[in-house]
Amino acid sequence: EIVLTQSPGTLSLSPGERATLSCRASQSVSSSSLVWYQHKPGQAPRLLIYGASSRATGIPDRFSGSGSGTDFTLTISRLEPEDFAVYYCQQFGSSPPYTFGQGTKLDIK
Amino acid sequence: QVQLVESGGGVVQPGGSLRLSCAASGFTFSGFGMHWVRQAPGKGLEWVAFIRYDGSKKYSADSVKGRFTISRDNSKNTLYLQMNSLRGDDTAVYYCAKGFCSGGGCCYDYWGQGTLVTVSS
């Protein structure tokens, strides 16, 4: 089973700042398999990035994904108030289990 | 628009059973694989189970294998999760999620709002 480790666990930043979230896999993952979601309390998770770097429909261009192999990054170029949430990476490989990272909580500083 | 509406959650005693449903609308349900994902209180997301678009293949996480069964009724546009031998660590919000695969990879492009299952005596 592929284990995804996200860092940091919590990131405290102010609106307007840049956020860099990391997702590290225990073994090499195809870039097409790496997905990022945003999750706010009481809401359904929201797809942000698929295939490591492709933005989902309607996602603002301040969100970008990059990486390959075992190291992947979600970057939010300039934080808006609505961006403060928990972010999860997921590996959606050719066979299950389709594991998630433990999440990074993005807090308002 | 795509809608996924879960139901069937509630409070159940350890060892008990529950069946969750997910009513789908706004897309061709029979054309997509479907998943269940859960989130225990204060924890992250955990993939639970997957069923292919036609029901021909099913997979589940080791943590629920032999206790939970995923199924679907394409004539009713509904996904199910039969949960037996429930334990305290099954307490979670259960989400159904629509799988989507393209040349760029696979993901969950739509999620339901979730239904809470509490296992407690």
Side-chain angles (χ1 to χ4, degrees):
Chain A
E1 173 179 321
I2 297 175
V3 177
L4 299 179
T5 302
Q6 293 186 240
S7 62
T10 302
L11 185 58
S12 297
L13 294 170
S14 300
E17 290 192 291
R18 179 184 185 92
T20 303
L21 287 66
S22 172
C23 176
R24 179 162 289 179
S26 60
Q27 57 188 273
S28 186
V29 170
S30 167
S31 292
S32 64
S33 306
L34 203 286
V35 188
W36 289 93
Y37 302 94
Q38 178 192 68
H39 194 197
K40 296 180 180 179
Q43 296 186 18
R46 177 192 184 196
L47 173 65
L48 295 176
I49 301 285
Y50 64 95
S53 60
S54 298
R55 265 188 307 276
T57 303
I59 300 303
D61 61 7
R62 64 180 181 273
F63 290 91
S64 63
S66 63
S68 64
T70 60
D71 289 301
F72 298 87
T73 301
L74 174 70
T75 302
I76 311 172
S77 59
R78 199 176 4 248
L79 286 166
E80 296 287 343
E82 62 267 27
D83 298 337
F84 292 92
V86 180
Y87 291 83
Y88 294 94
C89 59
Q90 181 196 24
Q91 67 83 21
F92 214 122
S94 57
S95 60
Y98 306 116
T99 50
F100 289 90
Q102 83 279 19
T104 290
K105 185 177 183 181
L106 184 52
D107 263 349
I108 297 180
K109 190 173 182 179
Chain B
Q1 73 281 21
V2 172
Q3 279 199 305
L4 298 170
V5 180
E6 301 95 337
S7 61
V11 180
V12 61
Q13 292 189 338
S17 297
L18 215 52
R19 188 176 84 154
L20 305 183
S21 299
C22 171
S25 60
F27 67 102
T28 305
F29 180 72
S30 60
F32 294 91
M34 296 294 295
H35 298 247
W36 287 99
V37 176
R38 68 184 180 182
Q39 183 177 35
K43 303 292 185 182
L45 299 172
E46 178 189 15
W47 172 77
V48 174
F50 161 63
I51 185 167
R52 283 190 65 185
Y53 66 98
D54 58 358
S56 61
K57 292 279 190 183
K58 306 175 185 182
Y59 302 90
S60 58
D62 287 346
S63 58
V64 306
K65 203 160 287 185
R67 299 187 301 121
F68 291 11
T69 301
I70 188 172
S71 63
R72 64 192 298 160
D73 186 337
N74 285 346
S75 68
K76 295 182 178 178
N77 290 344
T78 302
L79 176 72
Y80 301 102
L81 186 67
Q82 177 66 43
M83 303 186 296
N84 299 330
S85 303
L86 282 159
R87 312 185 305 218
D89 61 358
D90 295 318
T91 295
V93 175
Y94 285 75
Y95 297 97
C96 67
K98 172 183 171 286
F100 175 74
C101 293
S102 68
C106 297
C107 59
Y108 302 141
D109 58 348
Y110 291 96
W111 299 65
Q113 291 293 321
T115 186
L116 176 62
V117 172
T118 302
V119 183
S120 174
S121 54

